[in-house]
Amino acid sequence: MGIAESAAESETVSTDAAGSETGGAENAGPETAGPENAGSEAAARRDDSVRAAVEQGLIGPDAPIIGLLDSTGIRAAAAALRAAFAQVTTAPVRHTFAVKATPLVPVLRLLHTEGIGAEVASPGELALAQAAGVPPTRTVLDSPAKTPAELRQALALGIAVNADNPQELARIDTLVSSAPTRSPIGLRVNPQIGGGSIDALSTATSTSKFGVALRDAGAREWVVRAYADRPWLTRLHTHTGSQGIPLDLLAEGVRAAYELAEEINARVGRQQIDTVDIGGGLPVNFASDATSPTHADYARILKQRVPGLFDGRYGLVTEFGRSLLAKHGTVLARVEYTKQSGGRPIAITHAGVQIATRTVYQPESWPLRILAYDAKGHPKPGPTVPQDVAGPACFAGDLLAENRPLARLEPGDLVAVPDTGAYYFAHHYAYNSLARPGIYGFAYAPGAGTRFATVRTPQTLDELVAESGGAHGGALA
Ligand SMILES: *Cc1c(COP(=O)(O)O)cnc(C)c1O
């Protein structure tokens, strides 16, 4: 743990991570895992895990795709997040993990043991957090479509709730007046400061569906009065967006929330808002193994830009997802066949749209690196050749990479797709009834080598049939 932790601490904004927000992966290949890289220890652990997965039979002809999670890296990321905010404030900080990023119970349990709670946005995500043992006091409920039953349950359990809109706040009024609750309750606001490079992930645009749109006519005054009328409304929440939002814009959103909290507290004449929930959204570098920007970079920028939020008067809640998990997951898939088409080499692998849905449908926004390994799990040396890396699904666009320079792939080789620990292999898309792959956590034990633990068993064909109406075969006859 010591080694991994210091590695995470020393990862700074680095050299070869420069370039566009998400771009750069076009030129990335196995060589980016070189020792000059800040993430070289993580890359070495990944190489070990690929070789061990072959040797221990986790991947092979009968299990041609798996997901791998680096538990050492996850622990180090959690520790680095806690340290980052401990550096900038003495007030209490409740870190939660946005469950939607990696909805896997063992991941939530590991993060919980590392002091990170859960941000949930559906009954399913709450059930996962509960199954992982995350207590209500470390859970935040944020969805934009909470039903009365969900609200009642959350308030009964004492889970923190952020109301999304005036109608929801009215429902909460009724519940709060009918039964006492220990839940801290807040309101989500949209500072309407604009979007980032990915529209679908920009939540602070002028017409976003999230929160109370603060710059709409009369909205700010309505919000101030909503707090003045409700002494139990003690939190304020904003989440500016995810991947593709520049740090400056994230900080702008947090500053808007802070200024509103100050205005409300001044108007009511006391520190009614005692906690600001700053959401998540730290972008991830998909172009190399470097962690850039780091949570420490972000915490420093926030303190510079919004010093009053860090002078000890306000508790904080954070809700990071992608930035905690993305770099600690790898898809590993076998090359089934190779062919040429129109003169271009194509490797048909088992990793496609079912595990990299966003990349396949929007490759410009979501480029991923591809690393080539031989059939024994050793990094594949040799001159590179531009190749298409295709998935198993039956549509022409099922490509993880086009014209990517890689060592020439052959049947039985492996391709690894790093940085897929968030919003990828845990977000199975059931196209072609491709089964959900198994997911395995790994850690290195001195003397024992790389050891694996099952995080999610591979879906069986019986389960697949059952999920597809197998028990109701005659329903339409
Ligand atoms: C998705 C989401 C997050 C996490 O976003 P990341 O980009 O994964 O850090 C946090 N808070 C809310 C409200 C979200 O919707």
Side-chain angles (χ1 to χ4, degrees), residues 56-449:
Q56 296 177 34
L58 285 185
I59 186 146
D62 299 327
I65 177 168
I66 59 176
L68 294 171
L69 280 168
D70 177 0
S71 58
T72 307
I74 297 172
R75 281 181 202 277
L81 170 61
R82 291 199 321 266
F85 280 81
Q87 292 286 321
V88 296
T89 185
T90 53
V93 184
R94 162 62 52 220
H95 295 293
T96 65
F97 174 64
V99 171
K100 74 170 182 280
T102 311
L104 296 167
V105 172
V107 168
L108 305 182
R109 172 81 60 88
L110 175 61
L111 289 171
H112 171 46
T113 63
E114 294 294 322
I116 313 286
E119 186 263 354
V120 301
S122 72
E125 289 182 358
L126 175 56
L128 297 184
Q130 289 178 312
V134 181
T137 50
R138 294 181 170 205
T139 304
V140 178
L141 174 64
D142 270 347
S143 105
K146 307 174 199 77
T147 64
E150 279 178 80
L151 289 169
R152 199 173 307 114
Q153 180 194 21
L155 296 180
L157 289 169
I159 288 170
V161 174
N162 288 313
D164 181 83
N165 59 67
Q167 293 174 357
E168 185 170 88
L169 194 57
R171 283 184 179 175
I172 293 174
D173 282 340
T174 308
L175 291 167
V176 164
S177 62
S178 66
T181 177
R182 288 190 310 277
S183 292
I185 301 173
L187 183 67
R188 178 169 182 170
V189 295
N190 169 12
Q192 291 171 298
I193 51 175
S197 62
I198 305 176
D199 287 347
L201 274 64
S202 299
T203 48
T205 58
S206 65
T207 57
S208 163
K209 75 172 183 180
F210 294 104
V212 176
L214 213 46
R215 292 183 181 174
D216 281 12
R220 196 176 182 93
E221 187 53 32
W222 180 87
V223 170
V224 173
R225 235 177 304 119
Y227 279 84
D229 293 345
R230 296 171 181 79
W232 43 264
L233 204 50
T234 57
R235 291 191 172 182
L236 185 63
H237 176 224
T238 197
H239 169 71
T240 294
S242 292
Q243 188 71 18
I245 308 285
L247 288 194
D248 275 351
L249 196 63
L250 286 175
E252 195 62 32
V254 172
R255 185 165 61 163
Y258 164 74
E259 285 171 353
L260 177 62
E262 290 282 274
E263 181 181 334
I264 291 167
N265 287 343
R267 280 276 285 277
V268 301
R270 67 188 182 96
Q271 181 89 15
Q272 178 174 327
I273 295 179
D274 58 18
T275 300
V276 177
D277 182 335
I278 64 170
L282 191 68
V284 164
N285 162 39
F286 284 97
S288 76
D289 281 313
T291 297
S292 167
T294 61
H295 289 113
D297 297 331
Y298 184 42
R300 270 193 302 272
I301 288 172
L302 286 178
K303 188 174 173 116
Q304 275 163 19
R305 299 280 296 275
V306 201
L309 186 59
F310 296 90
D311 64 11
R313 289 175 300 142
Y314 288 96
L316 295 176
V317 175
T318 74
E319 306 170 344
F320 295 102
R322 184 178 288 103
S323 58
L324 273 169
L325 255 293
K327 300 214 77 74
H328 311 297
T330 299
V331 169
L332 188 60
R334 269 169 65 92
V335 176
E336 195 66 50
Y337 299 111
T338 56
K339 57 165 74 168
Q340 296 258 348
S341 185
R344 185 182 297 181
I346 303 172
I348 312 278
T349 80
H350 288 273
V353 73
Q354 86 277 29
I355 43 88
T357 316
R358 282 178 168 165
T359 295
V360 166
Y361 286 128
Q362 296 183 322
E364 308 301 320
S365 294
W366 300 104
L368 287 169
R369 290 181 290 154
I370 308 277
L371 311 176
Y373 293 84
D374 67 19
K376 292 186 163 159
H378 298 284
K380 205 168 178 178
T384 61
V385 185
Q387 293 160 76
D388 283 2
V389 180
C394 296
F395 73 101
D398 188 29
L399 300 170
L400 286 197
E402 266 186 278
N403 247 330
R404 182 72 57 87
L406 292 169
R408 184 181 276 277
L409 292 164
E410 297 160 88
D413 284 349
L414 301 170
V415 290
V417 192
D419 310 327
T420 48
Y423 303 98
Y424 278 98
F425 56 67
H427 292 63
H428 191 80
Y429 172 51
Y431 198 93
N432 272 148
S433 299
L434 289 159
R436 281 193 290 272
I439 299 176
Y440 306 93
F442 66 88
Y444 181 81

